[in-house]
Amino acid sequence: MVKFSIDELRRQMDHNKNIRNMSVIAHVDHGKSTLTDSLVAAAGIIAQENAGDARLTDTRQDEQDRCITIKSTGISLFYEMSDEDLARLPKTVPRDGNNYLINLIDSPGHVDFSSEVTAALRITDGALVVVDCVEGVCVQTETVLRQALGERIKPVMTVNKLDRCFLELMLDGEEAYQNFCRVIENANVIMATYTDKALGDVQVAPEKGTVCFSAGLHNWAFTLTVFAKMYASKFGIDQDAMMAKLWGDNFFDPKEKKWTKKNTGSKTCMRAFVQFCYEPIRRVIE
């Protein structure tokens, strides 16, 4: 996200091919408003250090007092994409330049306010499904996913609160990986159950770039695309192939410099996701 002016925002409204309307949907207390704060801070609307505490989209006093979202609230963000990222878009998607206007709607997670979620989904093109990496898919997660698919909206997913894995549960890499797999698989089961044939395949997968891993409170997130870019040149393979290796049963032994489909039992042989994504982040946090 880049810092922008009101004039840039207004000019971008004339390029309707580059406008995206997104809803942020999730179970209560899975970190929607905090994650939205991080995106708003990245756009320069609020200070980075205030992200998470400000809860900018909780505009009513009772929302601030009770620390829950009651009304769906929209905010506009200006986003400049690189040519490299745009090259990954299907050629059939129309666009006008590299600048995008994102209208982001933060919706409530509490079951009593599900009508607000329906209203938000009715006017949006896509949905960002936020799931707590520890609590996993909950009752309201299923409800909002069903609502999104009922409106024929393709969801993308973020596995949120990754900082809990490092600071609270202190999971090792393999435990964390299995936990993430369980969360993503449970979400995909719900998507497969309520999918509409007109939508096609809506299931999400990290190796496709449709699953993000985030810690909204600490203002960081990544998809496997980020790490694939870093490691593709090192291993001399293209980015898509590297993304496929960073998820699933792909193990790398730096001592032998070999990729395998199963753990060889060697101390240096580790799952690629753990070795190249999880462990570097854990070392930075520690």
Side-chain angles (χ1 to χ4, degrees):
M1 297 265 175
V2 294
K3 293 175 172 57
F4 56 88
S5 66
I6 297 297
D7 292 333
E8 284 175 311
L9 209 62
R10 173 63 195 88
R11 280 196 299 271
Q12 196 56 39
M13 289 178 185
D14 296 329
H15 304 279
N16 59 2
K17 289 177 183 174
N18 285 27
I19 297 175
R20 297 290 184 272
N21 303 313
M22 288 285 297
S23 293
V24 185
I25 58 175
H27 185 77
V28 65
D29 277 343
H30 277 205
K32 293 180 301 304
S33 298
T34 305
L35 190 67
T36 305
D37 261 13
S38 294
L39 296 173
V40 170
I45 297 175
I46 60 174
Q48 288 279 2
E49 55 268 23
N50 292 337
D53 296 323
R55 300 203 319 280
L56 196 70
T57 48
D58 289 349
T59 52
R60 292 163 41 135
Q61 187 59 49
D62 54 351
E63 289 178 321
Q64 289 286 343
D65 293 342
R66 296 166 67 183
C67 296
I68 59 166
T69 305
I70 295 171
K71 289 284 184 184
S72 290
T73 309
I75 191 162
S76 295
L77 307 172
F78 182 78
Y79 188 36
E80 188 176 347
M81 291 189 76
S82 66
D83 290 324
E84 191 179 1
D85 287 332
L86 287 170
R88 297 179 61 82
L89 281 178
K91 301 296 180 190
T92 52
V93 176
R95 67 183 180 91
D96 185 6
N98 287 24
N99 297 334
Y100 281 80
L101 175 64
I102 313 288
N103 295 317
L104 198 67
I105 300 178
D106 179 31
S107 60
H110 200 283
V111 66
D112 290 349
F113 313 121
S114 56
S115 59
E116 291 287 324
V117 180
T118 307
L121 289 169
R122 190 63 59 90
I123 59 169
T124 50
D125 310 310
L128 174 63
V129 184
V130 183
V131 183
D132 187 319
C133 71
V134 176
E135 292 180 19
V137 173
C138 296
V139 177
Q140 195 63 9
T141 313
E142 181 173 352
T143 304
V144 295
L145 265 173
R146 188 176 72 239
Q147 285 176 288
L149 294 169
E151 297 289 344
R152 289 187 177 174
I153 287 174
K154 278 196 174 185
V156 291
M157 181 175 167
T158 182
V159 180
N160 197 30
K161 300 192 182 182
L162 240 69
D163 49 301
R164 292 184 71 184
C165 290
F166 301 107
L167 304 173
E168 186 180 317
L169 300 181
M170 297 184 181
L171 298 177
D172 66 36
E174 188 61 29
E175 285 176 326
Y177 172 82
Q178 296 298 341
N179 192 37
F180 301 153
C181 279
R182 176 181 55 80
V183 170
I184 295 165
E185 189 178 326
N186 288 346
N188 278 332
V189 166
I190 294 167
M191 291 179 204
T193 305
Y194 298 112
T195 191
D196 190 315
K197 286 182 182 177
L199 268 176
D201 183 23
V202 294
Q203 296 201 356
V204 295
E207 65 270 25
K208 292 180 187 173
T210 50
V211 176
C212 174
F213 300 91
S214 61
L217 189 62
H218 298 280
N219 303 322
W220 58 265
F222 68 90
T223 61
L224 294 189
T225 318
V226 175
F227 286 95
K229 279 181 190 174
M230 291 162 55
Y231 293 118
S233 56
K234 179 183 175 182
F235 287 100
I237 57 176
D238 67 50
Q239 191 176 314
D240 290 333
M242 191 68 221
M243 277 182 75
K245 284 188 178 293
L246 286 175
W247 194 258
D249 292 329
N250 295 296
F251 297 82
F252 183 71
D253 190 336
K255 192 176 180 182
E256 300 288 331
K257 295 187 177 177
K258 281 184 181 177
W259 287 93
T260 56
K261 282 290 182 184
K262 58 182 180 180
N263 197 329
T264 59
S266 167
K267 285 184 179 179
T268 52
C269 184
M270 291 173 71
R271 192 182 295 275
F273 175 81
V274 175
Q275 188 172 163
F276 298 121
C277 305
Y278 189 84
E279 287 299 321
I281 294 170
R282 186 178 62 79
R283 285 196 290 270
V284 168
I285 288 173
E286 287 179 352

